[in-house]
């Protein structure tokens, strides 16, 4: 064992935590920390890159944006556009001082490099609950029982393999372990339409299947359906004659367990998102996101922010997490996933994930434990929820590779010249806030996202189960419609398939490569895609090299 190793369970914080939680839970936590302690740690480099010489950069990229939009990006970044386009040694650390220098299958699974030893205990405890499967109640493992009765997976790690992104099933026979289906119905009454407009409800849920399809059930509880996918090749030809073959998915729901599906039921397949850098994204001020939505630029880019109901406070707030920015912060994102993906209750989501007509689900045994202080019995208590929140907040962003390579820099210039930064806002300066998010305070980060919703066109829009496109006026997740998707952060994307070779891209996992993902862009990004299609072999290599360096 490393001579400099500090056992997480010996830290003052961990000792204090273990002293105030139930003995069975404390035993599980201590064992989990001991297992984590024996894992070899990758070295983290804090070497400061040499200052690069000033590279001349064309101002052509400004032509892709209005002057107001370009100025807004510079204001958020705190540096001029020319510095963003050129090699910037600071950008190697995409996650600021919390980032890590690891390029392996473990690139997404390490704690923030600036995490103090006294705080690592909470990270390892959260890691244990993130990885370990929950079991059906009643069980001797009463701190991790209560799975289901309807669910998608038994552990967070089952969706987020090595804390990375999910993938779509390859064939109709594959299980959809890291992909789920969100459901919604069109509003049919004035009351429903008004509630959606005011963000008082997330969606109109299906009366028998709810807002998310659960394709597994415990013994005696029928699963809601099976998810099957079929792929159709779609060739796309570049200007020089090169052909890239895309694949278009058709998702089918078979073996319905609770009656026939309505033809106008919306079906939204979504793969798991990577877990890195979420604590940093949470610290981006609301105003920084809103000011990007209020850009009155004359381009075709017109992102909007999602205004959602925070289940913790009961008040409307800015959404920033999830494929449609339907969650306000990590604690609500985590507990919503516990509830909808695993059938687990918590103080934020205290009700079982069963619809009123699903009597077997409602009558199944639960693993809920009394909380005291007038709180309802739940399966994920506040202590466990806080550990998991701390873990998800402190998964580090890997540093960039080859950021000063000539091919990478040429691709970066193409990225900016085509106006991709219109949605993928490169840089933010995080404030120091009145909370204990110490690792994220004051960091300069390069996530390449505006966290806004954008219309990505018909090809990427969700459809009804009958295969029809809905009207754009139909809200499916608070203010978001079926055509709109939150801009995903690009940091770490070049290591996605190093972490998990099966990882795929875009919300439904249809893209097997980064170039495929780019070529599916439409709607507001149609002009950018058309510029990509003009690239020759060298241009494609440059753009791909830049994306792979992130």
């Amino acid at each position: 064992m490393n001579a400099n190793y500090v056992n997480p369970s010996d830290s003052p914080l961990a000792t204090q935590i273990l002293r105030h939680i139930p003995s069975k839970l404390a035993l599980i936590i201590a064992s989990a920390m001991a297992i984590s302690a024996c894992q070899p740690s990758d070295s983290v480099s804090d070497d400061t890159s040499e200052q690069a010489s000033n590279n001349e950069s064309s101002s052509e990229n400004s032509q892709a944006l209005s002057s107001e939009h370009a100025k807004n990006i510079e204001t958020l970044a705190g540096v001029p556009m020319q510095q963003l386009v050129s090699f910037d040694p600071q950008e190697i650390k995409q996650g600021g001082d919390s980032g890590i220098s690891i390029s392996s299958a473990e690139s997404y699974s390490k704690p923030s490099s600036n995490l103090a030893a006294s705080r690592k205990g909470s990270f390892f405890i959260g890691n244990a609950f993130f990885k370990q499967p929950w079991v059906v109640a009643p069980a001797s493992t009463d701190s991790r029982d209560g799975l289901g009765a309807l669910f998608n997976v038994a552990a967070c790690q089952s969706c987020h393999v090595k804390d990375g992104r999910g993938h779509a099933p390859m064939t109709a026979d594959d299980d959809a372990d890291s992909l789920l289906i969100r459901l919604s119905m069109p509003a049919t009454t004035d009351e429903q339409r008004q509630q959606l407009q005011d963000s008082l409800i997330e969606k109109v849920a299906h009366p028998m299947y709810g807002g998310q399809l659960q394709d597994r059930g415990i013994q005696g509880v029928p699963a809601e359906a099976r998810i099957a996918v079929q792929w159709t090749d779609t060739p796309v030809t570049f200007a020089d004659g090169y052909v890239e073959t895309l694949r278009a998915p058709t998702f089918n729901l078979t073996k319905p367990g609770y009656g026939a599906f309505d033809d106008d039921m919306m079906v939204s397949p979504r793969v798991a998102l990577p877990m890195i850098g979420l604590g940093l994204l949470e610290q981006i001020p609301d105003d920084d996101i809103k000011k990007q939505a209020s850009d009155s630029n004359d381009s075709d880019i017109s992102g909007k922010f999602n205004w959602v109901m925070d289940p913790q406070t009961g008040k409307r707030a800015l959404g920033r997490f999830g494929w449609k920015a339907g969650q306000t912060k990590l604690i609500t994102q985590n507990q919503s996933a516990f509830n909808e993906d695993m059938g687990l209750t918590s103080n934020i989501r205290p009700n079982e994930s069963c619809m009123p007509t699903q009597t077997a689900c409602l009558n199944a045994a639960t693993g809920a434990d009394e909380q005291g202080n007038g709180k309802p019995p739940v399966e994920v208590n506040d202590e466990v929820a806080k550990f998991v929140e701390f873990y998800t907040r402190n998964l580090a962003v890997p540093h960039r590779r080859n950021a000063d390579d000539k091919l990478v820099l040429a691709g970066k210039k193409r990225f900016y010249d085509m106006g991709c930064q219109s949605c993928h806002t490169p840089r933010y300066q995080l404030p120091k806030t009145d909370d204990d998010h110490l690792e994220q305070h004051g960091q300069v980060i390069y996530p390449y996202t505006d966290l806004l919703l954008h219309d990505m066109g018909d090809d990427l829009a969700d459809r009804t189960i009958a295969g029809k496109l809905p009207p754009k006026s139909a809200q499916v997740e608070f203010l978001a419609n079926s055509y709109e998707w939150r801009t995903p952060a690009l940091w770490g994307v070049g290591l996605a398939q190093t972490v998990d070779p099966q990882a795929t891209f875009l919300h439904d996992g249809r893209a097997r490569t980064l170039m495929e993902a780019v070529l599916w862009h439409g709607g507001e990004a149609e002009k950018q895609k058309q510029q990509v299609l003009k690239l020759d072999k060298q241009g494609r290599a440059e753009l791909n090299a830049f994306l792979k360096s992130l």
Side-chain angles (χ1 to χ4, degrees):
M1 188 172 290
N2 192 319
N4 296 321
Y5 169 74
V6 177
N7 190 328
S9 61
D10 291 337
S11 72
L13 178 62
T15 302
Q16 183 180 9
I17 290 169
L18 293 171
R19 190 180 297 131
H20 289 88
I21 57 181
S23 58
K24 286 186 178 180
L25 179 56
L27 180 61
I28 292 170
I29 289 171
S31 298
M33 289 192 296
I35 293 172
S36 299
C38 295
Q39 302 298 321
S41 62
D42 292 272
S43 60
V44 176
S45 172
D46 287 323
D47 293 341
T48 304
S49 302
E50 294 181 3
Q51 293 294 322
S53 59
N54 292 327
N55 295 329
E56 292 187 4
S57 175
S58 168
S59 61
E60 292 176 6
N61 62 80
S62 63
Q63 298 175 8
L65 308 176
S66 70
S67 58
E68 181 181 351
H69 198 165
K71 183 178 180 181
N72 202 9
I73 290 173
E74 290 180 326
T75 300
L76 293 172
V79 297
M81 190 73 71
Q82 181 174 337
Q83 182 173 332
L84 293 173
V85 179
S86 307
F87 170 63
D88 181 359
Q90 188 171 13
E91 189 179 348
I92 293 174
K93 294 186 175 183
Q94 299 178 100
D97 292 333
S98 68
I100 56 171
S101 181
I102 297 175
S103 300
S104 71
E106 301 300 319
S107 292
Y108 289 1
S109 298
K110 298 300 180 182
S112 302
S113 61
N114 58 351
L115 186 66
S118 61
R119 291 164 67 85
K120 286 184 178 178
S122 293
F123 180 88
F124 289 114
I125 294 168
N127 183 25
F129 281 105
F130 193 87
K131 285 184 174 180
Q132 293 172 356
W134 289 70
V135 297
V136 178
S140 57
T141 311
D142 63 358
S143 63
R144 287 190 295 108
D145 69 347
L147 177 69
L150 288 166
F151 64 101
N152 297 108
V153 291
C156 306
Q157 190 79 10
S158 298
C159 283
H160 306 276
V161 179
K162 291 184 177 295
D163 303 291
R165 66 182 62 239
H167 63 273
M170 293 297 295
T171 70
D173 296 326
D174 285 350
D175 289 330
D177 283 342
S178 57
L179 174 142
L180 54 81
I181 303 287
R182 302 300 298 274
L183 308 173
S184 63
M185 295 294 292
T188 56
T189 67
D190 290 340
E191 181 183 10
Q192 288 175 338
R193 284 186 280 270
Q194 190 63 51
Q195 287 177 320
L196 284 169
Q197 289 177 16
D198 296 339
S199 297
L200 297 177
I201 57 173
E202 176 187 348
K203 63 178 67 175
V204 178
H206 190 277
M208 289 186 292
Y209 291 96
Q212 179 169 311
L213 188 87
Q214 279 111 8
D215 58 345
R216 290 183 171 96
I218 65 173
Q219 186 173 1
V221 181
E224 291 185 327
R226 177 174 173 78
I227 302 168
V229 63
Q230 293 176 316
W231 299 101
T232 303
D233 286 347
T234 304
V236 175
T237 305
F238 283 79
D240 65 356
Y242 174 77
V243 177
E244 185 88 30
T245 301
L246 310 183
R247 59 173 191 170
T250 300
F251 287 89
N252 300 302
L253 304 182
T254 64
K255 302 180 180 179
Y258 298 88
F261 298 114
D262 298 77
D263 284 346
D264 56 354
M265 181 178 73
M266 290 301 308
V267 176
S268 181
R270 305 184 191 178
V271 298
L273 283 158
M275 301 299 298
I276 55 172
L278 299 183
L280 297 166
L281 297 179
E282 190 174 38
Q283 288 292 102
I284 296 175
D286 285 1
D287 287 344
D288 285 0
I289 300 171
K290 290 179 178 179
K291 71 175 59 173
Q292 297 179 81
S294 64
D295 261 348
S296 58
N297 62 79
D298 55 4
S299 71
D300 296 320
I301 306 298
S302 56
K304 74 180 188 185
F305 58 85
N306 206 353
W307 201 237
V308 311
M309 181 59 64
D310 187 324
Q312 187 177 33
T313 64
K315 298 179 180 179
R316 291 189 299 173
L318 186 80
R320 68 180 68 207
F321 292 117
W323 280 109
K324 289 190 182 290
Q327 294 292 337
T328 59
K329 49 188 180 287
L330 280 177
I331 190 69
T332 58
Q333 166 70 32
N334 294 344
Q335 294 192 36
S336 293
F338 271 130
N339 188 253
E340 295 177 324
D341 302 354
M342 300 163 69
L344 300 169
T345 57
S346 63
N347 282 325
I348 291 177
R349 298 292 297 270
N351 299 317
E352 295 289 340
S353 184
C354 309
M355 294 302 290
T357 57
Q358 296 171 334
T359 55
C361 180
L362 291 169
N363 294 330
T366 75
D369 297 318
E370 294 292 338
Q371 302 300 296
N373 298 321
K375 296 180 179 179
V378 295
E379 290 152 333
V380 180
N381 62 41
D382 284 347
E383 289 81 6
V384 170
K386 289 176 182 176
F387 290 138
V388 175
E389 180 195 13
F390 190 86
Y391 174 72
T392 56
R393 196 170 77 218
N394 277 294
L395 282 163
V397 176
H399 295 339
R400 287 187 61 190
R401 288 85 45 221
N402 307 316
D404 59 348
D405 180 83
K406 289 183 179 180
L407 193 68
V408 169
L409 289 173
K412 184 179 186 182
K413 184 175 183 303
R414 289 187 184 276
F415 182 91
Y416 278 81
D417 285 350
M418 291 186 291
C420 300
Q421 75 276 29
S422 297
C423 302
H424 293 282
T425 304
R427 170 172 155 150
Y428 296 87
Q429 300 180 92
L430 301 185
K432 291 186 177 180
T433 49
D434 295 329
D435 53 37
D436 72 339
H437 299 193
L438 307 180
E439 296 75 24
Q440 293 77 37
H441 283 177
Q443 298 300 323
V444 175
I445 62 172
Y446 295 78
Y448 284 91
T449 177
D450 58 9
L451 296 177
L452 295 177
L453 297 168
H454 293 275
D455 184 333
M456 296 302 292
D458 291 0
D459 285 341
L460 292 182
D462 288 330
R463 297 172 182 259
T464 68
I465 197 168
K468 294 183 178 180
L469 281 169
K472 291 190 177 182
S473 59
Q475 295 169 224
V476 298
E477 190 166 334
F478 293 109
L479 301 184
N481 66 30
S482 296
Y483 301 76
E484 294 171 326
W485 301 98
R486 188 206 65 165
T487 307
L490 295 183
W491 53 14
V493 72
L495 290 170
Q497 291 173 338
T498 300
V499 171
D500 180 9
Q502 296 187 86
T504 51
F505 307 99
L506 297 179
H507 67 278
D508 55 10
R510 69 176 65 195
R512 294 158 294 188
T513 67
L514 295 174
M515 183 56 75
E516 285 186 31
V518 171
L519 295 177
W520 276 113
H521 282 48
E524 295 178 33
E526 180 66 28
K527 285 186 177 180
Q528 282 72 22
K529 181 183 73 176
Q530 292 303 322
Q531 291 184 64
V532 171
L533 286 171
K534 296 177 183 177
L535 297 177
D536 59 12
K537 182 178 180 180
Q538 178 66 18
R540 294 191 294 271
E542 290 169 354
L543 180 60
N544 191 60
F546 169 65
L547 295 175
K548 293 286 286 184
S549 78
L550 295 175

